[in-house]
Amino acid sequence: MRFVSITPNERPEIKSGRANNQVDYAAIEQEALSRIEGAGDPEALEGLRVEFLGKQGSISGLLKTLGKMTPEERQQTGPKIHGLREMVTGALASRKTALEAAALELRLASETIDLSLPAPDVPTGSVHPVSQVMDELAEIFADLGFAVASGPEIEDDWHNFTALNMPESHPARAMHDTFYFPDDAPNGGRMLLRTHTSPVQVRTMLAQGAPLRIIAPGRVYRSDSDATHTPMFHQVEGLVIDRDIHLGHLKWTLETFLKAFFEREDIVLRLRPSYFPFTEPSVEVDVGFAVEKGRRVLGGSGDDPGHAWMEMLGSGMVNRRVLEMSGLDPDEWQGFAFGVGVDRLAMLKYGMDDLRPFFDGDLRWLRHYGFSSFDQPTLSGGVGARA
Ligand code: PHE
């Protein structure tokens, strides 16, 4: 007799509940257990579970017969059927565990991991050229003893203009294409988006006094837009305040900085008289360059054959009036300051010809010109754009 065939419907003697004493529970159990033990895979095992314990299952059928028995019969047979169910349930569970363990063993034995295979590329972001250049600047100037200072981008009129020797109605204000805020600030001064990083000079002198050696990289804003101007761009301000500082210090500092930044020893500077309200005297600094393969490459004197001068940055000795307004005695302290466009430095160093894509957020541009965070900054070891 196959245990599988015992179902209440097919076996009238079970259905009637009369012939239960004739049912050989021990034999049923033995057969069930041996079939469970013989199940070769989880599907076969599940088939047996349904066959024995499912709604229409054979053991479920036996349980139903209890209801039709006399109390004495039930007392005698009940424990046998319940015991049978428990045995089968337990056997199913332990066979399941055994099958799973065997499957795992098999997988572990057959699968191997090839550690020599290259790992799949994990997509990572890249460092924006502007951030890269700012890091490079901070590194170069740190070697020269400069700290990094910062100030607010939403600035007041006094720090952005007045304290820099540009009082109301100063004509130089008109050149700054300023974004003003509509409301007057409580102190009467108008708020604006800073048009340059020079207000950080004033703030740092007021906060820290002298002597000072700082650079202040950051965003600045002017109402201007074409291939070489964007309404937001980046500048780095440099400021040195000490005793007996003169133009020679300025020239050496700029030359050292530009040589380190462009990683060329043949950088030649030309200082040209200029005008800024906040420096006196003021000098415009030009750098010699040549055009190679359609790209401006710095190096050599602008007076050399095939070379020309390119305007690079504004600078000068800090105006006495700025020192005074910043709380320093100009008879005791002097200093120089310079300001240069960070985006422009990036364009020149990495060969980009349009400023606007810097701020478009186009992923293709960013992937092309971005820097891996793992190989920067590299002043000592040479910077490699992914381009
Ligand atoms: N702040 C000036 C500008 O934005 C640059 C500058 C800075 C010039 C410091 C001289 C000294 O044009």
Side-chain angles (χ1 to χ4, degrees), residues 195-196 198 201 222 235 237 276 278-279 314-316 337-339:
T195 57
H196 52 174
S198 299
Q201 288 184 27
R222 292 192 198 180
Q235 280 189 340
E237 190 82 8
F276 298 102
F278 30 91
T279 47
S315 62
F338 59 88

Side-chain angles (χ1 to χ4, degrees), residues 2-117:
R2 282 187 58 83
F3 179 69
V4 63
S5 62
I6 305 171
T7 60
N9 295 339
E10 290 160 2
R11 286 295 179 101
E13 71 273 24
I14 291 178
K15 207 176 173 187
S16 72
R18 282 279 151 236
N20 268 322
N21 287 338
Q22 293 152 27
V23 177
D24 187 348
Y25 293 105
I28 293 171
E29 183 178 307
Q30 218 169 32
E31 189 193 347
L33 294 186
S34 93
R35 287 185 63 202
I36 288 169
E37 203 45 50
D41 53 58
E43 292 74 40
L45 194 66
E46 173 62 10
L48 291 177
R49 189 194 64 79
V50 172
E51 184 181 325
F52 300 148
L53 302 173
K55 260 201 179 130
Q56 310 292 326
S58 49
I59 295 175
S60 311
L62 287 173
L63 281 164
K64 281 177 203 156
T65 63
L66 289 171
K68 292 172 185 122
M69 290 178 192
T70 63
E72 302 78 57
E73 278 175 333
R74 196 177 302 126
Q75 204 171 30
Q76 207 203 357
T77 316
K80 288 185 190 163
I81 301 180
H82 282 295
L84 173 63
R85 190 184 59 171
E86 259 162 52
M87 285 300 289
V88 169
T89 306
L92 284 168
S94 69
R95 183 63 187 151
K96 189 173 176 218
T97 312
L99 283 176
E100 283 169 354
L104 183 64
E105 276 303 314
L106 205 68
R107 257 187 63 198
L108 288 176
S110 66
E111 285 179 10
T112 51
I113 299 170
D114 184 352
L115 293 173
S116 70
L117 276 178

Side-chain angles (χ1 to χ4, degrees), residues 129-272:
V130 171
S131 304
Q132 170 78 15
V133 165
M134 299 229 247
D135 287 348
E136 292 172 19
L137 294 172
E139 198 180 326
I140 294 172
F141 280 103
D143 284 348
L144 301 178
F146 286 64
V148 174
S150 61
E153 289 169 34
I154 297 175
E155 188 52 284
D156 59 53
D157 191 288
W158 190 81
H159 286 95
N160 196 79
F161 290 126
T162 310
L164 289 163
N165 197 30
M166 283 183 275
E168 280 297 338
S169 82
H170 193 289
R173 283 192 178 211
M175 295 167 61
H176 277 231
D177 302 311
T178 312
F179 288 113
Y180 284 101
F181 281 81
D183 296 322
D184 282 355
N187 61 9
R190 279 210 280 178
M191 298 302 284
L192 46 84
L193 292 177
R194 69 178 180 192
T195 57
H196 52 174
T197 41
S198 299
V200 182
Q201 288 184 27
V202 178
R203 288 185 173 277
T204 312
M205 284 188 269
L206 282 170
Q208 296 177 24
L212 271 183
R213 256 187 255 183
I214 54 144
I215 57 164
R219 295 189 189 99
V220 299
Y221 302 83
R222 292 192 198 180
S223 178
D224 207 352
S225 187
D226 58 36
T228 51
H229 298 88
T230 50
M232 186 280 293
F233 57 105
H234 299 83
Q235 280 189 340
V236 60
E237 190 82 8
L239 175 71
V240 170
I241 302 287
D242 212 324
R243 295 184 169 91
D244 306 319
I245 294 292
H246 54 74
L247 270 181
H249 296 118
L250 168 64
K251 185 174 186 237
W252 180 87
T253 304
L254 291 178
E255 203 169 82
T256 304
F257 149 57
L258 291 170
K259 282 181 177 174
F261 180 76
F262 288 105
E263 298 174 67
R264 289 185 73 121
E265 270 305 306
D266 61 345
I267 300 282
V268 180
L269 304 189
R270 179 176 76 173
L271 270 55
R272 225 169 358 95

Side-chain angles (χ1 to χ4, degrees), residues 275-340:
Y275 173 77
F276 298 102
F278 30 91
T279 47
E280 182 58 36
S282 299
V283 286
E284 199 88 46
V285 177
D286 299 336
V287 183
F289 74 100
V291 175
E292 287 172 20
K293 292 187 200 128
R295 237 182 96 170
R296 290 176 164 207
V297 177
L298 298 192
S301 160
D303 296 330
D304 287 347
H307 284 67
W309 294 108
M310 184 197 315
E311 198 181 301
M312 193 73 187
L313 55 89
S315 62
M317 302 304 296
V318 180
N319 193 303
R320 298 175 60 90
R321 304 185 61 165
V322 175
L323 291 172
E324 273 165 5
M325 280 185 276
S326 304
L328 298 180
D329 176 357
D331 291 325
E332 188 182 356
W333 302 103
Q334 301 80 46
F336 65 78
F338 59 88
V340 54

